[in-house]
Structure formats: structure tokens, C-alpha cells
Amino acid sequence: MGSDEEKTRPVTIRADAVSKIYGGFAALSEVSFEVRRGTVCAFLGPNGAGKSTSMRILTGYLSPTKGRAEVLGHDPSIAEQRRTLARKLGYLPESGPLYREMTPFESLSFFADIRAVPSPLRAIERVVEQCAVTEVLHKPIYKLSKGFRQRVGMAQALLHDPEVLILDEPTSGLDPLQIREVRALIRKLGEEKTVLLSTHILQEVEAMASEVVMIAEGRIVFTGTLGELKAEATLEQRFLELAGDDAKKTKKAYRADDDATDKEVA
């Protein structure tokens, strides 16, 4: 994947024949891919394709039925390695867990203390600026809009300056200006860190990602650069071709999100 220079960068995320079975249902089947440092990689696929399950396995929230996941050389399914990995990994679930009665400042201070973040006030100032939450810093989280809650979740994920970021729908609930700011932040972070993000909005892939891993019905159907994916057709055409019937069922939802974003976000 990518140029010769990019191929010399260390692999920081690896899935090797990962499967997740629930009874007789295979949520993931032999999923394999790699992501290197200094990369923003989009994890693309229809709803229910296995994106969130894959991310939960990579972050240690789930264990694979078969196969092995590795992040920064650590196996997140092994408790001791998972604790070591937690110091180097930032994770933003689609609906990030927040203590609703706290203010963003109290929440960030709490997590800085738990993580033993060096110079905690300086770290808080950094993520408050990065995620643009200054105006709500001392307002209870339960009073915040979905967009601001998402940004507080992003600030928590960045607080300990992780080497790897795994983001599930990072622009969910944001307004057009916030989407633009988050896109710019993710592109900047991807210059030195590894960023794996899932999104159901095709334009988000084009706006942020240099690499794409595409999944459909629990199986990987494409890994490569964004340019390679679009070499012979548009991104939407390739998405529909590779994802098949699942993609066609959700085509209208994808197009609605893309059209709304096209009109409002530069």
C-alpha cells in the first residue's frame, strides 16, 4: 500500500485473519489488514459490515474468536498487554462514554489524573484548543449539544497524546464548521500518528484519508490507497461495486449525508 517511502514506516495496526463468531453468525471472517505510522486510514463499509466490531477488537473491548490483532506490537486481547497499550492508544467510540454530570474541564482533569498525564493542565489546554471546547469548558456535559459532546470525547481520546488513534464516526453530530475543523485536526494528527477512522460518509474518506480498508459482510474487500480505489471509477461507484447489495440498500442514506456535507462544508 502506498509509496515506497510509506512502506518503510513501521506497521502500528495489524489484523491477521481475525474472525468474530456469535453462535452461528460470523460478524467478522478472516479479516486482515495493516496500517502504518503517519497514515490516516479510512475504514469504510456499509452499516453492519463489521467496522465497529473490528475497532472493538483492536482496542481490547472484544476478543477475537480466531486470529490475532496487534496495535503497536501489543495484543489487546491479553490483559497485561492491553494495559500497556492503553497508555499509547486513543479511542473514540461512536457514542463516547462521558460522565454527564461533570463539566468538560472536570472530566478532562479526572482522566488526566487516572492516566497520570504529565503536566495535566498543559495537556488539558492543548486538547481544549485542538477540539475547540473552550466556550463550554465549565458547562455540565448533559447540557451540551451532541456535537460538543463528540468534541469532548475527542479531547479525552487525545489527552495523553497517544501514538495511535482509533475513531468511530468522529464527525457524527457535528455542524459544518465543526466538521471542517475536525477534518483539519485529523489530517494534522495523521502526519505523525496513526489514525484509523470509520465513517459512513464517502466524502469524509476523500477529505481525510490517504489509505482505505473496505469491509463488507464481515470480509475485507479492498486495501490500498485512495487513489488506487478511485483509479477506474468514482468512489461511490467503487463502493457500490465492492460492497454489493448491502451498499445498495443504504445508498440513499450515504448520498443524503454526502449531499448535505457538500453544500455546507468546504
Side-chain angles (χ1 to χ4, degrees):
M1 276 197 310
S3 68
D4 291 339
E5 180 183 352
E6 288 169 339
K7 290 177 181 177
T8 65
R9 298 174 183 171
V11 173
T12 47
I13 298 174
R14 177 182 284 112
D16 184 9
V18 169
S19 296
K20 184 64 179 177
I21 313 296
Y22 296 99
F25 172 69
L28 298 176
S29 298
E30 302 288 322
V31 165
S32 297
F33 64 89
E34 296 179 349
V35 186
R36 296 179 182 273
R37 179 172 294 151
T39 301
V40 178
C41 179
F43 199 37
L44 178 64
N47 294 330
K51 300 188 299 296
S52 293
T53 299
S54 299
M55 289 185 159
R56 288 168 187 154
I57 288 173
L58 289 170
T59 54
Y61 281 75
L62 290 174
S63 294
T65 306
K66 291 187 285 186
R68 175 184 169 88
E70 197 174 274
V71 180
L72 293 168
H74 302 291
D75 184 339
S77 69
I78 299 173
E80 185 176 343
Q81 294 189 41
R82 184 168 62 250
R83 286 192 291 270
T84 301
L85 175 61
R87 293 192 283 270
K88 307 173 185 178
L89 172 68
Y91 176 41
L92 177 65
E94 184 175 1
S95 299
L98 296 170
Y99 292 104
R100 293 169 57 83
E101 301 299 323
M102 287 184 174
T103 65
F105 180 79
E106 291 168 341
S107 179
L108 292 169
S109 298
F110 173 71
F111 283 103
D113 184 46
I114 287 177
R115 289 185 172 277
V117 173
S119 305
L121 288 178
R122 186 176 301 171
I124 291 170
E125 289 175 0
R126 170 177 53 82
V127 298
V128 164
E129 180 178 356
Q130 284 179 318
C131 300
V133 294
T134 302
E135 66 184 274
V136 298
L137 194 57
H138 299 288
K139 189 174 182 178
I141 289 171
Y142 75 87
K143 292 186 177 180
L144 303 185
S145 67
K146 182 179 179 182
F148 270 120
R149 292 198 301 271
Q150 186 79 348
R151 290 156 78 180
V152 173
M154 176 78 83
Q156 283 185 191
L158 291 170
L159 184 61
H160 55 300
D161 196 22
E163 296 178 43
V164 172
L165 279 165
I166 295 180
L167 311 174
D168 199 352
E169 304 283 355
T171 61
S172 175
L174 303 185
D175 67 33
L177 179 59
Q178 293 165 351
I179 289 173
R180 182 185 301 171
E181 292 169 348
V182 169
R183 285 178 179 174
L185 173 59
I186 289 173
R187 287 193 297 264
K188 180 68 175 176
L189 292 168
E191 293 174 5
E192 296 183 356
K193 302 179 186 297
T194 306
V195 182
L196 178 65
L197 64 95
S198 75
T199 179
H200 71 280
I201 303 173
L202 298 179
Q203 191 190 10
E204 295 291 83
V205 178
E206 296 192 275
M208 290 185 282
S210 56
E211 304 279 341
V212 180
V213 174
M214 189 167 171
I215 187 170
E217 297 182 339
R219 297 179 182 274
I220 298 299
V221 295
F222 176 86
T223 62
T225 67
L226 179 60
E228 289 167 346
L229 180 58
K230 300 193 303 176
E232 298 179 1
T234 67
L235 182 56
E236 181 178 346
Q237 288 169 336
R238 289 288 282 146
F239 177 80
L240 294 171
E241 173 191 338
L242 291 167
D245 291 340
D246 279 354
K248 292 173 184 176
K249 291 176 186 176
T250 57
K251 179 179 178 180
K252 290 183 180 179
Y254 281 80
R255 179 168 290 166
D257 282 336
D258 281 348
D259 287 347
T261 308
D262 282 339
K263 291 175 182 176
E264 301 177 35
V265 182

